Amino acid sequence: MKKTLLIIVIANFLFGCSADTSDRKDFIFIQMLKKYDQSSALSVVRNDTVLADYNANVLLPLASTAKTLIALEYAKQAAANEINPDSMINLDCLERFYIEGTDGGAHPMWINYLNQNNLIINHQVPLREVARGMIDFSSNANTEFLMERLTLDRINQQITELNVEHTPMYYFISALGIGLDRSIAQDSLIRFLNNLSFEERSHHAEIIHGKLATDFDGTFKASLNEQNLSLSAQKIWSDHLPASTAKAYVDIMKKINDRNFPSEILFHIDEVFDTLTRLSPANRELFYHAGGKGGDTDWILTLAFYFNEKSGSKTEFAVFFNNLSGADKYSLENNINNFMVKLIEDSDFREELITNFRN
């Protein structure tokens, strides 16, 4: 089955060395933003100055970058002692939400990481690691578990509290299963999916989520007909993922970077979000804090990150793409690290962004 969400393992992003400019790789993002003028967006802020603002108020689907809101609600509830990050979660509770072939191998990679670091005790892991697995590895199973544990209502309150433009969160991973649980002709399924309102899509997703949550023997998951998840069906799912704007996510990254949360919440934000520094000793030499979230589907690529440099500079950026061709998405994915390094280290590249995308 063709993959849907492909994770971006941000822990591999390393700084401290010059990016490769021999073939102008850094300019691929600039070229693609222009090419996908109607379905791309960029916002870059450095030291409180907007360097680039391109379609920054256009709503675009987020893919896994939407998990940012879930992690922020996790930090808020942990700070208020409403959840305990040290509480042990049985891996079976997470496995029930794992549907093979629908997360680019994210969940198995997370499990492998846990094993390598001896973090599994009696088939259980701390809740903290579940949240980290959602951000670091983009585990969809962890995402569904946390959405239920934290509640959708509370997660959606983050939109109001952060004062950002954002469509409502729902069980968007379970929404992949809409149509998998029925045996109907593909053309009828496509019509059905296309005609769903947000309320109907959310309702169907909640039903599937509930069935997976109580699927103790795996019978329901085994009954899902993966043949129904055609590329056309996946595209409809992708188009209806939670959406926001580049400006909104830069505002969120900036709030983290400016330390504009209460200290007790920041402690838990750092535990989850500071992946670039937490998992890379080399990056810790350069940054006080650095992290964020990326996500994609076969058509989407989104990134939202923050960097607090020990040199004294701070940078926040968000770049969103939708309706990408396979070849263009491949080119962008292979140049993410180069783009980020150039953004931080190269003033000439930042001038290029200003020239191309200021206002």
Side-chain angles (χ1 to χ4, degrees):
M1 187 179 99
K2 191 170 179 61
K3 68 176 177 60
T4 49
L5 287 182
L6 174 68
I7 71 159
I8 297 170
V9 184
I10 61 177
N12 290 333
F13 291 163
L14 298 175
F15 294 81
C17 57
S18 297
D20 180 6
T21 58
S22 59
D23 57 0
R24 309 291 290 197
K25 287 182 179 180
D26 44 303
F27 283 86
I28 288 178
F29 271 78
I30 292 176
Q31 293 163 2
M32 292 300 178
L33 283 160
K34 292 181 175 180
K35 179 177 180 178
Y36 288 91
D37 175 56
Q38 301 303 311
S39 56
S40 67
L42 173 70
S43 181
V44 180
V45 176
R46 185 168 173 84
N47 298 328
D48 300 323
T49 298
V50 177
L51 302 187
D53 185 357
Y54 182 69
N55 293 338
N57 290 304
V58 175
L59 276 171
L60 291 169
L62 293 163
S64 287
T65 300
K67 297 171 184 177
T68 298
L69 288 189
I70 303 170
L72 288 176
E73 181 58 29
Y74 161 86
K76 180 181 176 182
Q77 292 190 26
N81 295 318
E82 296 176 276
I83 57 172
N84 180 2
D86 294 318
S87 62
M88 301 302 287
I89 307 300
N90 194 298
L91 289 176
D92 290 342
C93 297
L94 305 171
E95 289 291 333
R96 285 198 286 272
F97 294 114
Y98 173 60
I99 301 176
E100 187 175 358
T102 61
D103 72 346
H107 193 70
M109 280 192 280
W110 176 62
I111 296 295
N112 185 55
Y113 167 81
L114 294 175
N115 280 316
Q116 289 179 347
N117 290 275
N118 299 313
L119 294 170
I120 301 175
I121 302 173
N122 296 325
H123 204 58
Q124 296 178 316
V125 295
L127 181 60
R128 173 187 299 103
E129 294 301 331
V130 176
R132 285 174 169 174
M134 177 183 68
I135 297 299
D136 296 354
F137 293 88
S138 213
S139 166
N140 288 343
N142 293 15
T143 303
E144 289 278 310
F145 174 86
L146 285 167
M147 282 195 284
E148 179 175 306
R149 174 64 65 92
L150 303 172
T151 78
L152 285 174
D153 286 345
R154 292 286 298 275
I155 293 167
N156 278 314
Q157 282 181 22
Q158 287 292 320
I159 297 172
T160 301
E161 293 174 9
L162 293 166
N163 192 28
V164 293
E165 187 172 6
H166 205 297
T167 62
M169 295 284 282
Y170 65 105
Y171 290 115
F172 60 92
I173 308 300
S174 287
L176 268 172
I178 300 175
L180 294 187
D181 59 345
R182 60 193 71 209
S183 296
I184 60 176
Q186 187 64 204
D187 57 347
S188 298
L189 175 63
I190 296 304
R191 283 196 299 272
F192 169 76
L193 293 174
N194 269 323
N195 291 329
L196 289 175
S197 66
F198 170 79
E199 290 75 16
E200 291 168 333
R201 194 178 309 278
S202 177
H203 176 67
H204 283 290
E206 187 170 6
I207 290 173
I208 291 168
H209 172 90
K211 289 181 178 180
L212 288 170
T214 56
D215 189 28
F216 302 108
D217 61 0
T219 302
F220 174 71
K221 189 157 59 175
S223 72
L224 297 179
N225 181 11
E226 294 182 2
Q227 297 304 312
N228 282 342
L229 197 59
S230 65
L231 275 178
S232 296
Q234 289 185 49
K235 183 63 168 69
I236 296 169
W237 168 77
S238 179
D239 287 341
H240 291 87
L241 288 169
S244 187
T245 69
K247 181 183 183 305
Y249 269 73
V250 160
D251 288 347
I252 294 171
M253 296 299 109
K254 194 171 191 316
K255 186 168 185 178
I256 295 173
N257 216 12
D258 288 346
R259 321 306 288 165
N260 282 340
F261 289 92
S263 59
E264 58 272 20
I265 295 178
L266 277 172
F267 174 83
H268 297 285
I269 287 176
D270 292 344
E271 278 201 329
V272 174
F273 272 113
D274 268 6
T275 305
L276 290 175
T277 47
R278 175 163 46 84
L279 297 182
S280 170
N283 286 340
R284 286 198 293 274
E285 295 294 318
L286 300 170
F287 303 102
Y288 292 114
H289 301 282
K293 188 73 187 84
D296 73 342
T297 71
D298 283 338
W299 303 271
I300 294 170
L301 178 66
T302 57
L303 301 164
F305 284 84
Y306 59 89
F307 304 93
N308 189 332
E309 301 173 51
K310 290 186 176 180
S311 65
S313 290
K314 291 190 298 183
T315 303
E316 304 85 31
F317 85 91
V319 58
F320 296 170
F321 291 94
N322 190 22
N323 297 320
L324 289 167
S325 71
D328 288 344
K329 181 169 176 288
Y330 179 82
S331 294
L332 288 166
E333 286 176 332
N334 281 280
N335 286 283
I336 290 171
N337 194 73
N338 194 75
F339 172 80
M340 294 173 72
V341 172
K342 294 286 286 182
L343 182 61
I344 300 303
E345 294 186 347
D346 192 333
S347 60
D348 289 339
F349 178 64
R350 292 194 294 271
E351 285 298 321
E352 289 285 346
L353 290 179
I354 293 171
T355 299
N356 284 275
F357 301 118
R358 187 69 173 265
N359 298 323

